[in-house]
Amino acid sequence: MKYKMLVLDMDDTLLTDDHTISKENRAMIAMAQAKGVEVVLASGRPTPAMTHFANDLQNNYMISFNGAVVSDLKNDAVIFEQSLTKEQIHELHDYSLKMKTHIITYINDTIVSETHSEFIEIERSITGMPHKLVPDFKAAVTSNAVKCILLEDPAYLKTVESDLKQAMPDLSVSMSKPFFLEVAPNGIDKAASIQFLAKKLDIDQSEIIAVGNAGNDLTMIQYAGLGVWVDNVTPELRGFGDVVVASNNNHGVAEVIERYILS
C-alpha cells in the first residue's frame, strides 16, 4: 500500500515529554515528505500553539482545536471552521458549576476562565498562550468560540465525561489528556476534518495513516487506512488501533514512517 497522507497528533505522540520534536522524528518526516506524503498535524491545541511546529516541518495543512479548524498554511487561510455557539458555551459553564469542574475557552488567542487551577496552568504552559482570569465567564463570552475544555482531577473527570455525553448529546466530547475534557460542536472531531482534507486533496481513506495516543485521537485512528497508537497510548484504547509502535519518547513516529512509508 502506498500511503499518501500521514496525520500526527502532537502532545504525547509526535512531541516528546519536553514538548519538542526529536531529531529522529524530524528526519523521518522530511524523508516521508520527499516521497510526496502529505504530513498533517492534528491536535486539540489551539491554532497559535501549533503553527510554529507545522511551519518548522514545512507542512501544507494543519488541523487544530481537535478538528474544529483546518488551516491552509501555504495561503495562510482557514479552509474549515465550526464553533460552539455562545449559548452552548454558557450552558457548558452552568454544567461545569454543577459538576464542580473548571472550564476554559479561547477568545482572541487568549485562554479565558473565571477560576484558577493547576490544570489550567498546564494548558497555559503547553500552548504558550496568555491566560485571562475574568470575574464572570458568561459576561466575557459574548460570541461563538471554537471549543471549551472542562478540567479536573483525572479520576473524577472520567465520570464527568460519561455524564456530559448523556447530558448534552448534541456536542462532541473527548479526553485529550486525563485532566482535559474537550468539548466541540456535534460531528466535529479529528476524523471528520481529516475526511474533509482528504477529499480536498483527492486522497482515499485507505491511503491515510493516523498516529495518536489518547481519546481524542480515537476517531481518526479508526477512520484511517492504518490506525497507529504510540506505546504510551491510554491503556483502554490500546486494542482499537491496527498497530502499536514505540512511545512518544522513543521516536514512535519515526518507526511508523520507516515501516510503512519508506519500506
Side-chain angles (χ1 to χ4, degrees), residues 1-246:
M1 168 64 68
K2 181 182 178 183
Y3 292 104
K4 297 181 179 179
M5 181 185 287
L6 175 62
V7 185
L8 304 174
D9 171 55
M10 288 183 62
D11 294 289
D12 305 311
T13 299
L14 171 63
L15 303 183
T16 55
D17 288 351
D18 62 359
H19 306 300
T20 61
I21 303 173
S22 71
K23 67 179 188 299
E24 290 86 352
N25 281 347
R26 187 183 298 276
M28 283 294 184
I29 287 171
M31 292 176 72
Q33 291 170 317
K35 286 194 68 171
V37 175
E38 194 75 58
V39 177
V40 180
L41 301 184
S43 176
R45 285 185 179 221
T47 305
M50 294 180 64
T51 306
H52 67 289
F53 287 99
N55 286 334
D56 183 43
L57 293 172
Q58 299 183 18
N59 293 168
N60 295 316
Y61 300 94
M62 181 178 73
I63 296 168
S64 55
F65 285 111
N66 220 39
V69 176
V70 181
S71 300
D72 178 340
L73 298 169
K74 303 187 305 295
N75 297 303
D76 193 25
V78 172
I79 57 176
F80 174 84
E81 180 173 336
Q82 190 166 339
S83 300
L84 294 166
T85 65
K86 177 187 75 174
E87 290 74 22
Q88 286 174 316
I89 297 169
H90 287 187
E91 186 179 2
L92 279 166
H93 174 262
D94 291 342
Y95 177 85
S96 76
L97 287 178
K98 182 183 79 169
M99 299 300 287
K100 296 182 172 58
T101 70
H102 302 275
I103 184 172
I104 63 173
T105 193
Y106 305 85
I107 301 173
N108 297 326
D109 295 343
T110 299
I111 302 164
V112 174
S113 75
E114 64 181 17
T115 58
H116 279 298
S117 163
E118 63 182 299
F119 305 118
I120 297 175
E121 181 60 24
I122 291 171
E123 173 70 355
R124 189 206 60 76
S125 176
I126 289 172
T127 63
M129 296 171 68
H131 173 216
K132 182 178 182 181
L133 195 67
V134 297
D136 186 330
F137 186 84
K138 285 185 177 180
V141 179
T142 58
S143 59
N144 297 356
V146 176
K147 74 169 184 177
C148 291
I149 301 181
L150 275 59
L151 312 92
E152 196 40 80
D153 179 76
Y156 175 63
L157 202 58
K158 285 297 292 182
T159 67
V160 175
E161 178 187 21
S162 299
D163 186 87
L164 180 55
K165 286 179 176 178
Q166 294 184 10
M168 300 184 190
D170 57 329
L171 298 177
S172 178
V173 178
S174 64
M175 304 283 287
S176 59
K177 283 185 177 291
F179 37 78
F180 289 170
L181 183 59
E182 308 255 351
V183 187
N186 188 38
I188 292 299
D189 54 36
K190 292 184 180 183
S193 294
I194 292 167
Q195 185 176 25
F196 166 84
L197 185 56
K199 183 177 180 181
K200 175 182 175 63
L201 300 177
D202 195 26
I203 294 174
D204 189 78
Q205 180 178 355
S206 66
E207 298 171 320
I208 301 170
I209 302 176
V211 190
N213 79 289
N216 65 323
D217 301 317
L218 180 59
T219 60
M220 76 172 186
I221 296 298
Q222 294 180 315
Y223 172 78
L226 182 68
V228 182
W229 295 120
V230 287
D231 194 45
N232 51 293
V233 57
T234 304
E236 61 264 28
L237 300 176
R238 198 174 185 91
F240 289 96
D242 299 310
V243 178
V244 177
V245 295

